[in-house]
Amino acid sequence: MNLVNMEKYKNSLFGNIKNKLSNWLELDGGQTIPAKEIFRFLHSVKGTAGTLQLCGLTAITEQLLDGIDEDSERVWNRTELRNFLFELIEHTSKVIMHTLLSNDKQGHILAPQAFHEENEG
């Protein structure tokens, strides 16, 4: 996979994470999210992050997966989910912000430094 395609996949992954988190965190106060759905989302993110060699994101999702049971019948409200996913939210926000600030004059997203730093550790 060439560098341009890798950056497209990375940008797509972080965009998908942002969209899912936004959808969940904008739910009405009484709405809930099943633990199984959260587990599947985290598992998918972990696998994709691993494939794209995003070590920081992989580590965050591994830690989060340790805190949720795939077979749980639990449902999470917006506040519980925000607290549980805080590190993922923070990481995603930083990467997206850095990407937006790294746009070139033609409006293309350049390879954000956060992606490269993440691969180092």
Side-chain angles (χ1 to χ4, degrees):
M1 186 179 312
N2 67 38
L3 184 60
V4 173
N5 284 339
M6 285 286 282
E7 295 308 320
K8 286 181 182 178
Y9 286 120
K10 290 174 183 179
N11 291 336
S12 178
L13 173 62
F14 280 101
N16 290 338
I17 293 169
K18 177 194 169 288
N19 290 339
K20 178 57 90 175
L21 294 175
S22 294
N23 289 341
W24 281 342
L25 299 177
E26 292 172 2
L27 291 174
D28 292 333
Q31 292 180 293
T32 57
I33 303 100
K36 290 177 183 182
E37 183 178 344
I38 299 165
F39 182 91
R40 283 192 300 268
F41 166 72
L42 292 172
H43 189 267
S44 175
V45 169
K46 178 187 166 212
T48 305
T51 300
L52 297 174
Q53 300 174 346
L54 297 170
C55 301
L57 183 57
T58 301
I60 290 168
T61 53
E62 282 177 353
Q63 180 182 0
L64 290 169
L65 283 166
D66 287 343
I68 192 166
D69 182 7
E70 178 180 14
D71 298 319
S72 174
E73 295 299 321
R74 177 180 177 184
V75 292
W76 297 65
N77 67 37
R78 184 176 57 189
T79 302
E80 292 169 327
L81 189 60
R82 184 177 54 239
N83 292 338
F84 177 69
L85 297 177
F86 178 79
E87 192 174 356
L88 177 62
I89 294 166
E90 182 176 55
H91 182 77
T92 301
S93 296
K94 285 179 183 177
V95 170
I96 289 172
M97 183 58 69
H98 191 281
T99 301
L100 292 173
L101 294 174
S102 299
N103 281 349
D104 70 6
K105 295 190 188 316
Q106 288 82 35
H108 298 108
I109 296 176
L110 299 174
Q113 185 63 29
F115 289 141
H116 302 293
E117 291 169 359
E118 183 169 300
N119 289 332
E120 295 171 6

